[in-house]
């Protein structure tokens, strides 16, 4: 995510999809991976466990979406509604696949159904240079040294770059309740950190986006 007007980032897609919604007869079930491999405009019933709580990326997306992941992959779900979906909550929804600023996104075409139980998805450990298109939408954990000072991209957030020697990875730190979602104080070139986050795609650039304070570990 970078410095550009984002007030319509998801809004236009949400309005266009919801205005076109008809009945849901004949909607098939699909895994996240199958949905991601489908053409935009495809509608299906998808289920998964919440990996990003609603509204956590609001400072950069200007909406209240969340992310889910199943055994096949992960994906972002856009929403304009306030919802109580803690990490690990299983959900099921009927949605249409859209591409928003190059990120594959589910736009609900009905209520998001909370299911029984809970399962916290474990992030996939990987090298900084391995964050690629195949990891988009999933929860990952990377580690390395900051290659440059933290950059301000306010009011959307802050940008960091870390490298473990395998290639640089971009980290985008959203603002939550007026503060960076992770503590960026003292983070400067050479500091060794471990970051957990959702692999977000914005204008063809992949970014690891932390969700909560514990997603940063200084080493």
């Amino acid at each position: 995510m970078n410095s550009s007007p984002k007030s319509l980032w998801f809004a236009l897609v949400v309005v266009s999809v919801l205005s076109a919604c008809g009945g849901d007869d004949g909607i098939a079930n699909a895994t996240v991976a199958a949905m991601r491999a489908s053409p935009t405009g495809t509608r299906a019933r998808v289920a998964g466990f919440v990996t990003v709580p609603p509204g956590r990326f609001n400072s950069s997306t200007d909406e209240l979406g969340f992310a889910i992941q199943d055994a096949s992959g992960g994906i972002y779900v856009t929403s304009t509604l306030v919802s109580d979906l803690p990490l690990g909550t299983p959900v099921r929804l009927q949605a249409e696949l859209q591409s928003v600023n190059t990120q594959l996104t589910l736009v609900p075409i009905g209520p998001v159904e909370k299911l029984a139980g809970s399962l916290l998805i474990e992030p996939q450990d990987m090298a900084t240079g391995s964050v690629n298109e195949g990891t988009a939408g999933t929860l990952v954990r990377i580690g390395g040294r900051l290659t440059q000072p933290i950059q301000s991209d306010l009011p959307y957030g802050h940008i960091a770059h870390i490298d473990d020697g395998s290639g640089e990875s971009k980290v985008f730190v959203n603002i939550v309740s007026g503060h960076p979602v992770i503590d960026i104080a003292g983070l400067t070139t050479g500091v060794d950190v471990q970051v957990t986050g959702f692999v977000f795609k914005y204008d063809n650039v992949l970014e690891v986006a932390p969700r909560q304070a514990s997603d940063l570990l200084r080493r």
Side-chain angles (χ1 to χ4, degrees):
M1 287 161 272
N2 55 25
S3 298
S4 60
K6 301 186 181 180
S7 60
L8 298 180
W9 203 67
F10 282 99
L12 292 178
V13 175
V14 174
V15 170
S16 64
V17 170
L18 293 182
S19 64
C21 288
D24 55 20
D25 292 347
I27 289 185
N29 295 323
T31 64
V32 170
M35 199 62 167
R36 293 186 66 92
S38 300
T40 56
T42 298
R43 294 184 175 189
R45 185 178 296 104
V46 185
F49 296 91
V50 173
T51 54
V52 178
R56 201 53 57 96
F57 299 156
N58 172 260
S59 67
S60 59
T61 65
D62 198 29
E63 48 79 71
L64 301 172
F66 56 97
I68 62 172
Q69 190 166 328
D70 66 6
S72 70
I75 196 164
Y76 192 79
V77 182
T78 185
S79 177
T80 58
L81 303 176
V82 176
S83 52
D84 179 24
L85 298 174
L87 290 176
T89 302
V91 299
R92 180 168 54 211
L93 65 151
Q94 295 176 10
E96 180 173 302
L97 183 69
Q98 290 291 327
S99 177
V100 183
N101 287 328
T102 71
Q103 173 163 261
L104 291 177
T105 302
L106 293 181
V107 180
I109 56 175
V112 175
E113 180 184 2
K114 291 175 67 172
L115 306 176
S118 179
L119 177 67
L120 290 176
I121 299 294
E122 285 295 317
Q124 179 182 359
D125 288 301
M126 62 176 49
T128 54
S130 296
V131 178
N132 55 33
E133 189 65 35
T135 65
T138 66
L139 196 62
V140 302
R141 181 164 50 217
I142 57 176
R145 296 188 181 278
L146 273 75
T147 60
Q148 53 188 287
I150 297 288
Q151 302 170 21
S152 172
D153 192 23
L154 293 174
Y156 311 111
H158 300 270
I159 298 170
H161 296 85
I162 63 175
D163 193 343
D164 61 6
S166 66
E168 194 175 69
S169 188
K170 182 179 179 181
V171 175
F172 192 87
V173 182
N174 283 274
I175 305 299
V176 177
S177 300
H179 302 281
V181 68
I182 58 174
D183 183 8
I184 61 173
L187 293 185
T188 188
T189 304
V191 173
D192 188 17
V193 297
Q194 177 180 280
V195 176
T196 299
F198 174 82
V199 181
F200 206 102
K201 188 177 182 182
Y202 183 78
D203 280 351
N204 286 314
V205 176
L206 295 170
E207 308 167 334
V208 177
R211 311 150 300 159
Q212 55 195 8
S214 59
D215 281 345
L216 171 70
L217 176 65
R218 299 169 191 250
R219 304 188 296 187

